[in-house]
Amino acid sequence: QVQLVESGGGLVQAGDSLRLSCAASGRTSTIDVMTWFRQAPGMERQFVATIFWSTGYTQYANSVKGRFTISRDNAKNSVYLQMNGLKPEDAAVYYCAASIFGRAGIYDYWGQGTQVTVSS
C-alpha cells in the first residue's frame, strides 16, 4: 500500500505561482511513476504531468508545458508541481497518483486532492 497526501493549493491571481507537494508513505519502493492530474467542476479528470520515480524522466500536457515543472525528492518520498504563470483555466482540484512496478499506466493510489483557484 502507498499513501499520498497533497498540499500547497490555494487562491491566487492570474499570473501568480504555486507549488504543490505530494508526500508518499508506505511501500514507496514499489512506486514506478508519479503523476499529477486535475479535475475542474463538470469536467473530466485531466493529465497534467508525470515523472518516473527512478530516472526522473518527465512528460507534460501541452496545456501546461513551459509553465509547470514536475520534480521529485526521492529522499523525502515527495513529488512537486511548480506552477508558474497560472491561468484561470488552471483552476481545479489537483491530485497526485502513483503507479507501481508491474502495473504500468494503472494508478492504484491517489491523494485526497488539493484545490487550486485562479482569479482573473
Side-chain angles (χ1 to χ4, degrees), residues 2-47:
V2 175
Q3 294 79 42
L4 303 173
V5 178
E6 302 101 334
S7 61
L11 170 63
V12 297
Q13 292 187 331
D16 285 351
S17 298
L18 271 179
R19 188 193 194 211
L20 305 184
S21 300
C22 175
S25 60
R27 298 186 66 190
T28 57
S29 62
T30 63
I31 296 174
D32 183 22
V33 176
M34 292 286 287
T35 298
W36 286 97
F37 294 89
R38 66 187 182 187
Q39 188 166 22
M43 305 289 286
E44 292 190 354
R45 188 167 56 206
Q46 181 183 41
F47 164 79

Side-chain angles (χ1 to χ4, degrees), residues 57-88:
Y57 176 76
T58 60
Q59 287 183 314
Y60 297 90
N62 287 335
S63 59
V64 307
K65 203 171 293 183
R67 299 188 297 123
F68 291 11
T69 302
I70 189 171
S71 62
R72 83 220 191 282
D73 185 332
N74 295 62
K76 295 183 178 180
N77 290 321
S78 292
V79 173
Y80 308 98
L81 186 67
Q82 178 67 42
M83 306 185 293
N84 298 329
L86 282 161
K87 304 176 181 180

